[in-house]
Short mmCIF file of all heavy atoms in Angstrom, two decimals:
data_model
loop_
_atom_site.label_atom_id
_atom_site.label_comp_id
_atom_site.label_asym_id
_atom_site.label_seq_id
_atom_site.Cartn_x
_atom_site.Cartn_y
_atom_site.Cartn_z
N SER C 133 -22.92 3.03 -36.89
CA SER C 133 -22.04 1.97 -36.39
C SER C 133 -20.64 2.11 -36.97
O SER C 133 -19.67 1.79 -36.30
CB SER C 133 -22.64 0.60 -36.67
OG SER C 133 -22.88 0.48 -38.02
N ARG C 134 -20.53 2.61 -38.24
CA ARG C 134 -19.18 2.80 -38.79
C ARG C 134 -18.43 3.86 -37.97
O ARG C 134 -17.27 3.69 -37.60
CB ARG C 134 -19.27 3.21 -40.27
CG ARG C 134 -18.00 2.77 -41.00
CD ARG C 134 -18.02 2.95 -42.49
NE ARG C 134 -18.47 4.21 -42.93
CZ ARG C 134 -19.49 4.40 -43.77
NH1 ARG C 134 -20.17 3.38 -44.22
NH2 ARG C 134 -19.85 5.61 -44.16
N ARG C 135 -19.19 4.93 -37.67
CA ARG C 135 -18.56 6.00 -36.88
C ARG C 135 -18.16 5.46 -35.49
O ARG C 135 -17.08 5.74 -34.99
CB ARG C 135 -19.56 7.15 -36.74
CG ARG C 135 -18.86 8.48 -36.78
CD ARG C 135 -19.81 9.62 -36.77
NE ARG C 135 -20.20 10.09 -38.08
CZ ARG C 135 -21.33 10.74 -38.34
NH1 ARG C 135 -22.20 10.95 -37.40
NH2 ARG C 135 -21.58 11.19 -39.55
N ASP C 136 -19.08 4.66 -34.92
CA ASP C 136 -18.79 4.06 -33.60
C ASP C 136 -17.50 3.27 -33.65
O ASP C 136 -16.64 3.37 -32.77
CB ASP C 136 -19.91 3.09 -33.19
CG ASP C 136 -21.06 3.86 -32.55
OD1 ASP C 136 -20.94 5.08 -32.45
OD2 ASP C 136 -22.06 3.21 -32.19
N LEU C 137 -17.37 2.44 -34.73
CA LEU C 137 -16.17 1.59 -34.86
C LEU C 137 -14.92 2.44 -34.96
O LEU C 137 -13.90 2.16 -34.33
CB LEU C 137 -16.29 0.70 -36.10
CG LEU C 137 -17.00 -0.63 -35.88
CD1 LEU C 137 -17.07 -1.41 -37.19
CD2 LEU C 137 -16.25 -1.45 -34.84
N GLU C 138 -15.02 3.51 -35.80
CA GLU C 138 -13.84 4.39 -35.96
C GLU C 138 -13.46 5.02 -34.62
O GLU C 138 -12.29 5.08 -34.25
CB GLU C 138 -14.14 5.48 -36.99
CG GLU C 138 -14.01 4.97 -38.42
CD GLU C 138 -14.63 5.94 -39.44
OE1 GLU C 138 -15.01 7.06 -39.06
OE2 GLU C 138 -14.73 5.53 -40.59
N GLU C 139 -14.53 5.45 -33.89
CA GLU C 139 -14.24 6.08 -32.59
C GLU C 139 -13.61 5.06 -31.64
O GLU C 139 -12.68 5.37 -30.90
CB GLU C 139 -15.53 6.63 -31.98
CG GLU C 139 -15.83 8.03 -32.48
CD GLU C 139 -17.21 8.51 -32.08
OE1 GLU C 139 -17.83 7.91 -31.20
OE2 GLU C 139 -17.66 9.51 -32.69
N LYS C 140 -14.15 3.81 -31.66
CA LYS C 140 -13.61 2.77 -30.77
C LYS C 140 -12.15 2.49 -31.13
O LYS C 140 -11.31 2.33 -30.25
CB LYS C 140 -14.44 1.49 -30.89
CG LYS C 140 -15.61 1.50 -29.92
CD LYS C 140 -16.36 0.20 -29.96
CE LYS C 140 -17.73 0.37 -29.31
NZ LYS C 140 -18.75 -0.45 -29.94
N ASP C 141 -11.85 2.41 -32.46
CA ASP C 141 -10.46 2.17 -32.91
C ASP C 141 -9.54 3.26 -32.38
O ASP C 141 -8.46 3.00 -31.88
CB ASP C 141 -10.38 2.15 -34.44
CG ASP C 141 -10.79 0.79 -34.98
OD1 ASP C 141 -10.98 -0.11 -34.14
OD2 ASP C 141 -10.92 0.65 -36.21
N ALA C 142 -10.02 4.52 -32.52
CA ALA C 142 -9.20 5.66 -32.09
C ALA C 142 -8.94 5.56 -30.58
O ALA C 142 -7.82 5.79 -30.11
CB ALA C 142 -9.90 6.97 -32.43
N LEU C 143 -10.00 5.18 -29.83
CA LEU C 143 -9.84 5.05 -28.37
C LEU C 143 -8.82 3.96 -28.02
O LEU C 143 -8.00 4.13 -27.13
CB LEU C 143 -11.18 4.69 -27.72
CG LEU C 143 -12.13 5.86 -27.47
CD1 LEU C 143 -13.44 5.36 -26.90
CD2 LEU C 143 -11.49 6.85 -26.48
N LEU C 144 -8.89 2.84 -28.79
CA LEU C 144 -7.98 1.73 -28.56
C LEU C 144 -6.53 2.17 -28.79
O LEU C 144 -5.63 1.86 -28.00
CB LEU C 144 -8.34 0.58 -29.52
CG LEU C 144 -8.05 -0.81 -29.00
CD1 LEU C 144 -8.92 -1.10 -27.78
CD2 LEU C 144 -8.31 -1.83 -30.09
N VAL C 145 -6.32 2.92 -29.89
CA VAL C 145 -4.96 3.42 -30.19
C VAL C 145 -4.51 4.33 -29.06
O VAL C 145 -3.38 4.21 -28.56
CB VAL C 145 -4.94 4.15 -31.56
CG1 VAL C 145 -3.61 4.85 -31.77
CG2 VAL C 145 -5.20 3.16 -32.68
N ASP C 146 -5.42 5.25 -28.61
CA ASP C 146 -5.07 6.15 -27.50
C ASP C 146 -4.66 5.35 -26.27
O ASP C 146 -3.67 5.65 -25.62
CB ASP C 146 -6.28 7.02 -27.12
CG ASP C 146 -6.47 8.14 -28.12
OD1 ASP C 146 -5.60 8.30 -28.99
OD2 ASP C 146 -7.51 8.83 -28.04
N ALA C 147 -5.46 4.29 -25.95
CA ALA C 147 -5.20 3.50 -24.75
C ALA C 147 -3.86 2.79 -24.87
O ALA C 147 -3.08 2.75 -23.91
CB ALA C 147 -6.31 2.48 -24.53
N GLN C 148 -3.56 2.25 -26.09
CA GLN C 148 -2.28 1.56 -26.29
C GLN C 148 -1.12 2.54 -26.11
O GLN C 148 -0.12 2.25 -25.47
CB GLN C 148 -2.21 0.94 -27.68
CG GLN C 148 -2.87 -0.42 -27.73
CD GLN C 148 -3.12 -0.91 -29.14
OE1 GLN C 148 -3.04 -0.13 -30.09
NE2 GLN C 148 -3.45 -2.16 -29.27
N GLU C 149 -1.29 3.75 -26.71
CA GLU C 149 -0.21 4.75 -26.59
C GLU C 149 -0.01 5.15 -25.14
O GLU C 149 1.11 5.29 -24.67
CB GLU C 149 -0.55 5.98 -27.44
CG GLU C 149 -0.25 5.74 -28.92
CD GLU C 149 -0.74 6.87 -29.80
OE1 GLU C 149 -1.33 7.85 -29.28
OE2 GLU C 149 -0.54 6.76 -31.03
N ALA C 150 -1.14 5.30 -24.40
CA ALA C 150 -1.04 5.69 -22.98
C ALA C 150 -0.33 4.60 -22.21
O ALA C 150 0.50 4.87 -21.34
CB ALA C 150 -2.44 5.94 -22.41
N PHE C 151 -0.63 3.32 -22.55
CA PHE C 151 -0.02 2.18 -21.85
C PHE C 151 1.50 2.18 -22.08
O PHE C 151 2.28 2.02 -21.14
CB PHE C 151 -0.65 0.88 -22.36
CG PHE C 151 -0.17 -0.33 -21.63
CD1 PHE C 151 -0.67 -0.64 -20.37
CD2 PHE C 151 0.80 -1.16 -22.18
CE1 PHE C 151 -0.21 -1.76 -19.68
CE2 PHE C 151 1.27 -2.26 -21.49
CZ PHE C 151 0.75 -2.56 -20.24
N VAL C 152 1.89 2.40 -23.36
CA VAL C 152 3.33 2.41 -23.68
C VAL C 152 4.01 3.58 -22.97
O VAL C 152 5.08 3.43 -22.35
CB VAL C 152 3.54 2.51 -25.22
CG1 VAL C 152 5.00 2.75 -25.55
CG2 VAL C 152 3.05 1.23 -25.90
N ALA C 153 3.36 4.76 -22.99
CA ALA C 153 3.94 5.95 -22.34
C ALA C 153 4.12 5.68 -20.85
O ALA C 153 5.14 6.03 -20.26
CB ALA C 153 3.04 7.16 -22.57
N LYS C 154 3.10 5.01 -20.23
CA LYS C 154 3.17 4.74 -18.79
C LYS C 154 4.33 3.78 -18.50
O LYS C 154 5.10 3.99 -17.56
CB LYS C 154 1.85 4.13 -18.33
CG LYS C 154 1.70 4.07 -16.83
CD LYS C 154 0.33 3.56 -16.46
CE LYS C 154 0.33 2.96 -15.09
NZ LYS C 154 -0.55 1.82 -14.95
N SER C 155 4.49 2.74 -19.35
CA SER C 155 5.59 1.78 -19.13
C SER C 155 6.93 2.48 -19.25
O SER C 155 7.85 2.22 -18.46
CB SER C 155 5.55 0.67 -20.16
OG SER C 155 4.39 -0.05 -20.01
N GLN C 156 7.04 3.39 -20.26
CA GLN C 156 8.32 4.10 -20.43
C GLN C 156 8.60 4.99 -19.22
O GLN C 156 9.71 5.05 -18.71
CB GLN C 156 8.28 4.96 -21.70
CG GLN C 156 8.46 4.12 -22.95
CD GLN C 156 8.15 4.89 -24.22
OE1 GLN C 156 7.51 5.95 -24.17
NE2 GLN C 156 8.56 4.37 -25.35
N PHE C 157 7.54 5.65 -18.73
CA PHE C 157 7.68 6.53 -17.58
C PHE C 157 8.16 5.73 -16.37
O PHE C 157 9.07 6.14 -15.65
CB PHE C 157 6.34 7.22 -17.30
CG PHE C 157 6.34 8.08 -16.08
CD1 PHE C 157 7.09 9.26 -16.04
CD2 PHE C 157 5.60 7.73 -14.96
CE1 PHE C 157 7.10 10.06 -14.91
CE2 PHE C 157 5.61 8.52 -13.82
CZ PHE C 157 6.35 9.69 -13.80
N MET C 158 7.55 4.53 -16.16
CA MET C 158 7.92 3.72 -15.01
C MET C 158 9.36 3.22 -15.14
O MET C 158 10.07 3.10 -14.16
CB MET C 158 6.97 2.52 -14.86
CG MET C 158 5.55 2.88 -14.48
SD MET C 158 5.39 4.15 -13.22
CE MET C 158 6.09 3.34 -11.83
N SER C 159 9.79 2.97 -16.39
CA SER C 159 11.16 2.52 -16.59
C SER C 159 12.14 3.65 -16.23
O SER C 159 13.18 3.42 -15.62
CB SER C 159 11.29 2.07 -18.04
OG SER C 159 12.60 1.92 -18.38
N VAL C 160 11.76 4.90 -16.59
CA VAL C 160 12.60 6.05 -16.23
C VAL C 160 12.66 6.17 -14.71
O VAL C 160 13.72 6.36 -14.12
CB VAL C 160 12.03 7.35 -16.87
CG1 VAL C 160 12.72 8.58 -16.29
CG2 VAL C 160 12.21 7.31 -18.37
N ILE C 161 11.49 6.04 -14.07
CA ILE C 161 11.46 6.12 -12.60
C ILE C 161 12.40 5.07 -12.01
O ILE C 161 13.16 5.34 -11.10
CB ILE C 161 10.02 5.84 -12.08
CG1 ILE C 161 9.07 6.94 -12.54
CG2 ILE C 161 10.01 5.64 -10.58
CD1 ILE C 161 8.56 7.84 -11.49
N ASN C 162 12.33 3.86 -12.56
CA ASN C 162 13.13 2.77 -12.02
C ASN C 162 14.62 3.05 -12.16
O ASN C 162 15.37 2.98 -11.19
CB ASN C 162 12.75 1.48 -12.75
CG ASN C 162 13.26 0.25 -12.02
OD1 ASN C 162 13.68 0.36 -10.87
ND2 ASN C 162 13.24 -0.88 -12.66
N HIS C 163 15.06 3.42 -13.38
CA HIS C 163 16.50 3.55 -13.60
C HIS C 163 17.05 4.92 -13.24
O HIS C 163 18.11 5.02 -12.65
CB HIS C 163 16.83 3.21 -15.06
CG HIS C 163 16.51 1.80 -15.39
ND1 HIS C 163 15.48 1.46 -16.23
CD2 HIS C 163 17.05 0.64 -14.96
CE1 HIS C 163 15.41 0.14 -16.30
NE2 HIS C 163 16.35 -0.37 -15.55
N GLU C 164 16.34 5.96 -13.61
CA GLU C 164 16.90 7.30 -13.45
C GLU C 164 16.62 7.92 -12.09
O GLU C 164 17.18 8.93 -11.74
CB GLU C 164 16.37 8.25 -14.55
CG GLU C 164 16.49 7.73 -15.96
CD GLU C 164 17.94 7.45 -16.36
OE1 GLU C 164 18.83 8.15 -15.87
OE2 GLU C 164 18.15 6.50 -17.14
N LEU C 165 15.70 7.33 -11.34
CA LEU C 165 15.38 7.92 -10.04
C LEU C 165 15.79 6.99 -8.89
O LEU C 165 16.44 7.42 -7.95
CB LEU C 165 13.86 8.18 -9.98
CG LEU C 165 13.38 9.16 -8.92
CD1 LEU C 165 14.03 10.52 -9.10
CD2 LEU C 165 11.87 9.34 -9.02
#
Side-chain angles (χ1 to χ4, degrees):
S133 56
R134 207 173 47 237
R135 216 174 268 155
D136 277 0
L137 273 179
E138 280 166 9
E139 274 170 15
K140 272 184 196 146
D141 278 353
L143 278 177
L144 211 65
V145 171
D146 283 353
Q148 275 166 346
E149 281 173 0
F151 185 78
V152 171
K154 192 176 157 216
S155 296
Q156 283 168 344
F157 176 68
M158 292 318 294
S159 167
V160 169
I161 295 250
N162 194 13
H163 296 110
E164 309 300 328
L165 198 58

